[in-house]
Amino acid sequence: MSNKKTRLASLSLAGRWVLTWQSPLFKQKLLMAVAVLLCLTPVFPMFYQYIERREGYFYNDILLNIIPAIDVSIPIFVITWGMALFALTRVVQNPSLLLGLLYGVIIVNISRFISISMVPLNPPHGLIDIWDPITDLFYGETYVTKDLFYSGHTANQFLFFLVLQKKTDKYLALTTTILMGILVMVQHVHYTIDVIFAPPLTYLCYLLARRMAKL
């Protein structure tokens, strides 16, 4: 395995993909991940519109109560999609990392379906809608405010931290994870528990994703 990794590292980007693509297992796992993501795409708006109609309960968040609600949509949008593009440019250089990220995204989203279903929360007081025309495409016709436990914005940043390999990339992703956790609370779109539980739950999802993506 180490010899294979060394050989891959010495090749050009095209060479790494040509060599990895020769593996039937890699092709099977990559195509499976893409197929699952395509199947999930129409599920997102159905699920989120369903939970938006559902009545939940309010959580008395002492910390959030003392944080004034401020519209920080722009930095949230920039971090969300800037880091997504950055992580994508990194993982395409290593096919196995791409698999890990794809399976991580799948499992994190499925786990959020489960956790949101099990913990029905109403949005925090003072919530300010996040301006994000890209994410809104997955929500459906009505803006969604009840996709709360756990924070998907924070989870995605932490997933990048787990998947990326270079130390500088990891420092960047860890920084954006912390910033995102703060920003979604300033925006009052998440409770404190949504943010705090995102990293450990994402880590569990990543462990499973890594096992599934292992070649």
Side-chain angles (χ1 to χ4, degrees):
M1 181 63 70
S2 59
N3 290 336
K4 182 178 179 181
K5 289 183 178 180
T6 302
R7 183 184 175 192
L8 283 172
S10 65
L11 296 173
S12 64
L13 175 58
R16 288 195 292 272
W17 272 95
V18 169
L19 181 62
T20 307
W21 191 252
Q22 294 174 359
S23 167
L25 182 59
F26 173 79
K27 286 188 281 191
Q28 176 185 345
K29 290 191 174 186
L30 179 60
L31 293 175
M32 178 64 71
V34 172
V36 173
L37 285 171
L38 289 175
C39 291
L40 283 177
T41 300
V43 174
F44 286 124
M46 292 189 292
F47 174 77
Y48 289 127
Q49 292 302 309
Y50 160 72
I51 60 105
E52 191 63 21
R53 294 190 298 268
R54 178 187 64 177
E55 187 59 35
Y57 57 88
F58 289 99
Y59 169 67
N60 184 25
D61 192 327
I62 298 175
L63 178 58
L64 199 65
N65 290 340
I66 64 176
I67 299 176
I70 303 173
D71 190 352
V72 287
S73 294
I74 300 300
I76 289 176
F77 177 84
V78 170
I79 291 174
T80 297
W81 295 106
M83 277 302 295
L85 288 173
F86 175 77
L88 187 59
T89 61
R90 290 301 201 206
V91 298
V92 295
Q93 299 176 39
N94 187 326
S96 62
L97 289 185
L98 176 62
L99 274 186
L101 179 60
L102 292 178
Y103 279 99
V105 169
I106 291 170
I107 297 172
V108 164
N109 278 282
I110 292 176
S111 73
R112 290 190 71 238
F113 288 166
I114 297 171
S115 63
I116 292 170
S117 298
M118 293 177 62
V119 186
L121 293 171
N122 282 331
H125 294 294
L127 177 145
I128 300 174
D129 294 350
I130 297 177
W131 177 84
D132 188 337
I134 300 177
T135 302
D136 287 349
L137 296 174
F138 298 94
Y139 279 159
E141 57 187 23
T142 304
Y143 183 81
V144 175
T145 62
K146 297 181 180 180
D147 60 328
L148 295 170
F149 186 80
Y150 53 97
S151 168
H153 283 86
T154 310
N156 288 334
Q157 297 303 311
F158 195 67
L159 180 61
F160 297 149
F161 165 75
L162 295 171
V163 171
L164 294 173
Q165 290 190 321
K166 291 184 178 180
K167 284 188 177 181
T168 52
D169 294 349
K170 281 189 170 294
Y171 289 147
L172 175 62
L174 184 59
T175 300
T176 58
T177 299
I178 296 171
L179 284 175
M180 184 63 77
I182 295 172
L183 289 172
V184 294
M185 290 180 62
V186 169
Q187 189 93 10
H188 279 224
V189 293
H190 275 291
Y191 293 105
T192 305
I193 58 171
D194 304 334
V195 172
I196 290 176
F197 277 91
L201 292 175
T202 303
Y203 179 67
L204 295 177
C205 293
Y206 170 72
L207 292 180
L208 178 58
R210 191 170 63 177
R211 288 178 62 88
M212 294 178 65
K214 188 175 181 180
L215 296 174

